[in-house]
């Protein structure tokens, strides 16, 4: 049973709404942990082993959450012929919106040709803001407010120079188009757990986040991810072996694999969606991009448990079943996650600091 | 300060590569034109807004080493003349590749990128760039 201190947001009896299309985007550039360790005097093998990280994505200077979100949404629309005029809502979840005041959502909506009348907002709940958007869009579809809606999780996340976060904080995003018609994957149910936990935060105006050391593991990540997973399996009357795939939020390579083992999942169930070793932690894009990688390979009737985590803290769980529509779905009209991971360029720490604006040029316009 | 009105006016065209087609002679134009430069008054009322596919090929290119402040972090970068499949030739950056990967005739497709920022407190301008297919 769940601790009574959790706030459990109940959604949803099954209304047959689900994922109509999806698309991801991961920047082209990568940096290896060896290169970061070289600068800060860390032992590279220890960092690689402790975090299970082999490389992380780096946004180029002309990429931000708006550009990443647009690319992800356009990839979703390449795979399914949906008229943008029928998309009635767009929510973009991120910790790194380009503006403090001026929505990313409207930039994305303009870039994909949405009409004048639509619901829009930017969401923030650490790394689970994108999945909070999925829940909101699903509720709006289920209640016939809208026909289709976009939920996007996207970040160009921040890690202070020399901080352990610098090894994993990366960039990328995924867009999920949710509706009732032609769903390739039904969202059977969703729920959330939330508490007030000081595991990780970034104060207004501060460039880098801070983490509450011992709070990041047990009281933060594991407590919420495991509680949300167990609550979902209890609600759906399922056990770990009933799922073909499981995907969790992945702040590093170790946490999700440990959570999977605690819950009784095997490596075969979680390895497809585990991307952090190759791209790092894309924060709001993390679990959604893992789910994107799973959908890239899944087939009709596959069942997926997907659980996000956002510091502060909370988890959103989704029980998903892939439908027969997946057979005719045009997955190859946009790059799969595997393809986005293949073509990369590795940069050194000097280039990384230039790209991430850690080097200040002094020019006011750039 | 960046021209806010120009950015706002051009948003639709720059985000989605929207231009105009003259239904008198069939030529397409980008950036948009109210009058066809070939048909002049014959084109009045016959210019139709069209969304280009975003696909094209490189007609010519150069590598920029001495760049304005807005592009300083990207130096060296590639600037190309891209002939869109629908006909218009536009100037745009080619991103996410090495200069050695680029050749005249290579196929490209549109990418959505940040073009420039007006300092740390000004408006951010977005638009099209291109990537190799």
């Amino acid at each position: 049973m769940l601790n009574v201190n959790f706030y459990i947001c109940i959604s949803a009896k099954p209304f047959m709404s689900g994922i109509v299309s999806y698309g991801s985007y991961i920047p082209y550039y990568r940096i290896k942990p060896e290169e970061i360790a070289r600068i800060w005097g860390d032992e590279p093998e220890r960092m690689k082993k402790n975090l299970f990280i082999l490389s992380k994505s780096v946004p180029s200077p002309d990429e931000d959450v708006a550009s990443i979100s647009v690319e992800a949404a356009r990839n979703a629309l390449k795979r399914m012929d949906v008229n943008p005029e029928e998309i009635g809502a767009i929510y973009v979840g991120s910790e790194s919106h380009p503006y403090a005041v001026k929505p990313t959502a409207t930039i994305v909506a303009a870039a994909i040709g949405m009409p004048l009348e639509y619901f829009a907002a930017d969401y923030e709940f650490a790394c689970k803001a994108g999945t909070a958007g999925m829940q909101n869009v699903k509720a709006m579809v289920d209640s016939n407010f809208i026909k289709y809606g976009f939920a996007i999780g996207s970040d160009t996340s921040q890690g202070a120079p020399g901080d352990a976060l610098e090894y994993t904080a990366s960039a990328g995003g995924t867009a999920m188009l949710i509706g009732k018609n032609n769903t390739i994957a039904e969202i059977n149910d969703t729920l959330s757990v939330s508490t007030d936990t000081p595991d990780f935060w970034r104060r207004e105006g501060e460039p880098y986040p801070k983490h509450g050391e011992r709070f990041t593991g047990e009281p933060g990540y594991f407590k919420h991810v495991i509680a949300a997973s167990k609550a979902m399996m209890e609600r759906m009357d399922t056990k770990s072996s009933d799922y073909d795939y499981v995907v969790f939020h992945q702040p590093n390579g170790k946490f999700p694999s440990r959570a999977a083992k605690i819950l009784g999942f095997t490596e075969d169930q979680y390895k497809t969606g585990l991307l952090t070793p190759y791209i790092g932690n894309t924060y709001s894009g993390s679990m959604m991009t893992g789910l994107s990688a799973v959908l890239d390979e899944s087939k009709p009737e596959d069942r997926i448990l997907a659980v996000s985590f956002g510091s502060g803290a909370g988890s959103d769980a989704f029980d998903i079943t892939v439908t027969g529509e997946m057979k005719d779905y045009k997955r190859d009209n946009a790059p799969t996650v595997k393809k986005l991971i293949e073509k990369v360029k590795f940069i050194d720490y000097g280039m990384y600091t230039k790209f991430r604006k850690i080097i200040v040029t002094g020019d006011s316009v750039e | 300060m960046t021209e806010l009105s120009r950015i706002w006016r051009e948003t639709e065209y720059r985000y989605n590569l929207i231009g105009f087609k003259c239904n008198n002679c069939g030529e397409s134009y980008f950036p948009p034109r109210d009058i066809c430069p070939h048909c002049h008054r014959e084109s009045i009322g016959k210019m139709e807004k069209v969304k280009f596919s975003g696909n094209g090929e490189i007609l010519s290119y150069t590598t920029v080493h001495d760049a304005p402040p807005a592009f300083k972090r990207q130096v060296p970068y590639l600037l190309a003349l891209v002939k869109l499949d629908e006909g218009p030739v536009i100037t745009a950056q080619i991103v996410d590749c090495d200069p050695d990967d680029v050749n005249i005739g290579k196929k490209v497709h549109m990418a959505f990128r940040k073009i420039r920022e007006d300092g740390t407190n000004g408006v951010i301008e977005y638009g099209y760039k291109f990537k190799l297919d």
Side-chain angles (χ1 to χ4, degrees), chain A residues 25 28 60-64 66-67 70-71 74 98-99 110-111 345 354 357 359 361 363-366, chain B residues 15-16 69-70 72-75 95-98 110-114 116-119 123-124 126 129 131:
Chain A
Y25 179 81
Y28 170 66
S60 81
D62 60 353
E63 289 181 304
D64 63 12
S67 71
V70 169
E71 291 289 348
R74 283 181 175 170
Y99 292 95
K345 181 176 182 178
K354 186 175 86 164
K357 297 191 176 176
I359 296 175
T361 64
D363 290 311
S364 63
V365 176
E366 61 173 280
Chain B
Y15 281 18
N16 282 306
K72 198 167 179 176
R73 289 180 195 275
Q74 298 166 59
V75 171
V95 295
D96 291 355
C97 64
D98 286 325
M110 183 179 63
F112 186 86
R113 291 293 173 100
K114 190 161 62 178
R116 67 199 292 269
E117 295 175 44
D118 187 12
V123 74
I124 305 169
Y126 296 93
K129 295 187 180 181
K131 283 183 181 183

Side-chain angles (χ1 to χ4, degrees), chain A residues 33-76:
Chain A
E34 289 90 335
E35 185 60 18
I36 299 170
R38 181 176 72 82
I39 301 302
W40 296 108
D42 292 326
E43 292 172 41
E45 291 309 314
R46 188 174 65 86
M47 297 309 288
K48 282 166 71 176
K49 194 177 159 208
N50 284 354
L51 298 169
F52 186 27
I53 181 95
L54 305 171
S55 63
K56 71 164 189 172
S57 62
V58 180
S60 81
D62 60 353
E63 289 181 304
D64 63 12
V65 163
S67 71
I68 289 170
S69 301
V70 169
E71 291 289 348
R74 283 181 175 170
N75 282 338

Side-chain angles (χ1 to χ4, degrees), chain A residues 25-32 35 54-61 63 278-279 339-349 351-352 354-355, chain B residues 63 73-78 94-102 113 131:
Chain A
Y25 179 81
I26 301 161
Y28 170 66
Y29 294 98
R30 300 282 185 280
I31 188 166
K32 290 183 175 175
E35 185 60 18
L54 305 171
S55 63
K56 71 164 189 172
S57 62
V58 180
S60 81
E63 289 181 304
Y278 314 105
I279 64 171
K339 192 145 190 170
L340 291 167
I341 289 174
E342 269 171 14
K343 196 188 170 202
V344 301
K345 181 176 182 178
F346 289 97
I347 56 174
D348 61 18
Y349 196 84
M351 193 66 83
Y352 171 77
K354 186 175 86 164
F355 279 15
Chain B
T63 305
R73 289 180 195 275
Q74 298 166 59
V75 171
Y77 62 87
L78 292 153
I94 309 294
V95 295
D96 291 355
C97 64
D98 286 325
D100 290 346
D101 298 335
V102 175
R113 291 293 173 100
K131 283 183 181 183

